Amino acid sequence: MADMDVCGEVNEAGDLGARLKLVRKIHGISQRQLARQAGVTNATVSFIEQGRVSPSVGSLEKILNSVPMSLAEFFSLNLAESEQIFFRASEMPEIGDGRVLCHLLGGAQQGRSMSILRKVFPAGQDSGPEQQLLDGEVGGIVIAGELEVAAGSDFALLEVGDGYYFSARRPHRFRNPGGTDCVVISAVTASQPHVAPLPVQVQQELAIQGESRHGAEQAD
DNA sequence: TACAAAACGTCAATCGTGAC
DNA sequence: GTCACGATTGACGTTTTGTA
């Protein structure tokens, strides 16, 4: 064999396969697409991803060139840093307080500095007592129904397409005065949590999801 | 050094599965 | 039924290793 064994020098075959799979997923292409672009067969890509072969440098370079990515970039990838980017509706924890239905985007993300929520205010429902944060900003856009927003001494009735944006230091309150559900996509950047801590059950579920996802990625 | 066997990487073809 | 997906099988060529 003219080519040096990549895995023996740099990494385990399984890790190599995991890296290749991650790269492929990042680019959103299938094994066959990647193989076709690289000029190898899908079996080759499949075997590498499964860690069943230790590809030669030549083969690996061919595959990475089709992405494109250098070997250095490939081996500098930190698998542990792979984070979830896309979220299905079912993956957004429900953190409502009984009055307002809230789904938190990226609830399992550690160290997140922003919260994006999909809030549903039932007809006639309000957000409860005035909220006030120590720091940050809040904003949102009404995508269905009507929403009353009181921020400090300011007040407005917002309709579909309207929005709000103000300092979280302002005492604020929301209410749906309409006869139908009001849906708002809102964002909060705050050093203090703007909602109650996640229920223990939700935290546990998120932990399980995170572990299973991490385990599945390692098993891949 | 030369030879044979084993090991390895790669290939085309094929299979099983799930979505539409 | 069709299509795309990932995985598997068997065959082939090349390289490595052991032996005389």
Side-chain angles (χ1 to χ4, degrees):
Chain A
M1 245 174 273
D3 292 328
M4 179 182 67
D5 181 357
V6 174
C7 299
E9 288 273 326
V10 183
N11 223 321
E12 296 294 332
D15 185 43
L16 192 81
R19 286 173 187 275
L20 182 59
K21 193 167 190 172
L22 175 62
V23 170
R24 184 170 62 78
K25 295 293 182 184
I26 288 172
H27 287 80
I29 57 179
S30 67
Q31 288 182 344
R32 288 171 194 264
Q33 286 176 305
L34 178 63
R36 202 180 311 123
Q37 292 173 18
V40 299
T41 66
N42 70 297
T44 299
V45 176
S46 177
F47 271 38
I48 294 172
E49 289 189 355
Q50 293 174 67
R52 290 172 58 176
V53 297
S54 299
S56 64
V57 171
S59 297
L60 190 58
E61 272 189 321
K62 277 170 67 177
I63 294 172
L64 293 179
N65 283 342
S66 69
V67 176
M69 175 182 279
S70 69
L71 285 170
E73 289 173 320
F74 181 72
F75 286 110
S76 67
L77 274 176
N78 187 347
L79 295 180
E81 287 181 357
S82 61
E83 58 184 3
Q84 186 175 6
I85 298 173
F86 305 108
F87 300 83
R88 299 296 175 189
S90 61
E91 296 176 316
M92 299 180 198
E94 209 278 282
I95 59 172
D97 56 3
R99 285 187 286 262
V100 181
L101 186 66
C102 292
H103 283 102
L104 176 63
L105 177 62
Q109 300 287 71
Q110 299 297 315
R112 103 184 112 76
S113 58
M114 179 176 71
S115 297
I116 299 177
L117 301 109
R118 180 180 184 274
K119 295 182 177 180
V120 179
F121 294 81
Q125 189 58 268
D126 63 31
S127 60
E130 280 191 337
Q131 299 173 355
Q132 184 173 12
L133 306 179
L134 297 178
D135 197 8
E137 297 169 319
V138 298
I141 297 176
V142 178
I143 61 173
E146 295 178 330
L147 182 69
E148 269 183 14
V149 181
S153 58
D154 295 316
F155 172 89
L157 177 61
L158 304 180
E159 298 177 339
V160 173
D162 296 339
Y164 58 89
Y165 190 101
F166 52 83
S167 168
R169 289 197 184 93
R170 282 174 176 252
H172 53 277
R173 190 162 181 246
F174 303 97
R175 188 173 82 90
N176 175 10
T180 61
D181 286 355
C182 174
V183 182
V184 179
I185 303 299
S186 73
V188 178
T189 61
S191 57
Q192 298 291 318
H194 74 295
V195 294
L198 298 184
V200 173
Q201 186 179 349
V202 174
Q203 290 183 19
Q204 289 175 341
E205 189 176 336
L206 288 172
I208 292 171
Q209 288 178 359
E211 285 177 8
S212 63
R213 183 167 51 244
H214 185 65
E217 285 173 357
Q218 288 196 327
D220 287 339

